[in-house]
Amino acid sequence: MKSIGIIGGLGPEATVDYYKEIISQINTLNGDGSLNYPEIIVYSVNMATFIGRLEKKDYTGAAGYIVECISKLELAGADFAVISANTPHLFFDEIREKVTIPLISIVEACKTRAKQTGQKRCGLFGTKFTMNASFFSDVFGRDNIEVISPDSDDINRINELLFTELEIGIFKESTQTELLGIVQKMIDKHGIDSLILGCTEFPIMFTEEKYLGIPFLNTTRIHVDEMVKKSMSS
């Protein structure tokens, strides 16, 4: 199997979830009792460094930091790499051009899944950087799939909950209820037919395939599907 490189730490809870999901999928494919796991190299970055550069609008520095970290994964022996967070995909094309090992995009993988399942109007949850940017809508738009972010006040509230709770491992039932209220608002106002969990902490809170009658696209699981395929390919 090919060695997997993971840029982790954005945040730590999601990185743990990635590892567990990889092992779970490999166990399912190989059968119970198998010890044949791929080699996995995790480089856990300093989230404060990356987010701090985004806050200062130092986008060149933010992208460059991820490039440096991926280069370390390659030196450690990774055959390909992923970034286990959605926000750094703001710079995915630039990052991919500056590294020499293959990268698997979480956004491209999610778009492919949305196309396969017939989604046309996807809501988007993520950090404020993700929800205010166009990188999801740019990629999804290639297949005529619309991506809709929440209203500005809700964007700020979602971002606040992410960085004061979910990113540091706090998952409250009251927060889930509040977030589902925002989803319902988007269903009523925009007619979304699905929700992209565009921050890899959200799948830890929303573990079911559907809520409020619409699919929740688990970007972690979708990304890991592609990672496992790549690792096991010849």
Side-chain angles (χ1 to χ4, degrees):
M1 288 184 280
K2 294 184 176 70
S3 297
I4 300 170
I6 301 174
I7 294 297
L10 294 166
E13 294 293 330
T15 306
V16 172
D17 197 36
Y18 262 76
Y19 185 84
K20 289 180 177 178
E21 186 65 31
I22 293 168
I23 300 305
S24 175
Q25 289 200 24
I26 293 294
N27 282 338
T28 299
L29 289 169
N30 290 341
D32 293 337
S34 172
L35 301 177
N36 187 29
Y37 301 118
E39 295 179 351
I40 303 170
I41 305 159
V42 179
Y43 191 92
S44 188
V45 307
N46 186 317
M47 184 159 60
T49 297
F50 179 74
I51 296 298
R53 291 179 183 180
L54 288 185
E55 292 283 7
K56 294 176 183 176
K57 302 188 187 305
D58 178 13
Y59 302 135
T60 299
Y65 180 52
I66 300 300
V67 169
E68 290 172 9
C69 296
I70 293 172
S71 297
K72 292 174 183 177
L73 286 175
E74 182 178 13
L75 287 172
D79 293 310
F80 67 95
V82 301
I83 305 167
S84 64
N86 289 267
T87 301
H89 285 70
L90 274 161
F91 318 111
F92 185 79
D93 290 341
E94 177 184 346
I95 291 168
R96 181 155 52 185
E97 287 177 359
K98 293 183 178 179
V99 300
T100 54
I101 58 173
L103 300 183
I104 299 175
S105 163
I106 198 170
V107 182
E108 291 171 359
C110 189
K111 183 264 294 184
T112 298
R113 182 65 56 84
K115 182 181 178 181
Q116 290 170 345
T117 54
Q119 310 308 318
K120 293 296 183 184
R121 292 174 63 82
C122 302
L124 175 63
F125 272 16
T127 65
K128 65 181 180 182
F129 307 106
T130 294
M131 292 184 285
N132 285 323
S134 66
F135 64 95
F136 261 98
S137 58
D138 290 344
V139 172
F140 278 57
R142 295 170 194 160
D143 283 294
N144 298 313
I145 303 171
E146 191 173 1
V147 175
I148 300 167
S149 292
D151 294 339
S152 59
D153 288 346
D154 290 331
I155 285 175
N156 291 332
R157 179 58 177 161
I158 292 166
N159 190 76
E160 178 186 8
L161 290 168
L162 268 174
F163 285 102
T164 60
E165 295 183 18
L166 279 67
E167 292 283 4
I168 56 176
I170 299 171
F171 298 91
K172 298 178 182 178
E173 186 175 344
S174 59
T175 298
Q176 184 190 67
T177 300
E178 182 177 355
L179 292 171
L180 286 173
I182 297 173
V183 178
Q184 186 63 60
K185 189 188 306 184
M186 296 175 73
I187 293 171
D188 296 340
K189 184 175 180 178
H190 300 292
I192 63 170
D193 60 13
S194 55
L195 182 75
I196 300 163
L197 298 177
C199 177
T200 47
E201 271 67 40
F202 284 130
I204 303 172
M205 172 168 280
F206 296 106
T207 57
E208 302 297 326
E209 291 187 4
K210 285 188 174 184
Y211 291 85
L212 304 174
I214 64 171
F216 276 37
L217 299 174
N218 180 334
T219 54
T220 296
R221 187 169 299 148
I222 292 167
H223 208 192
V224 170
D225 286 348
E226 297 304 312
M227 292 162 61
V228 169
K229 289 177 189 174
K230 180 76 170 177
S231 179
M232 300 186 77
S233 64
S234 58

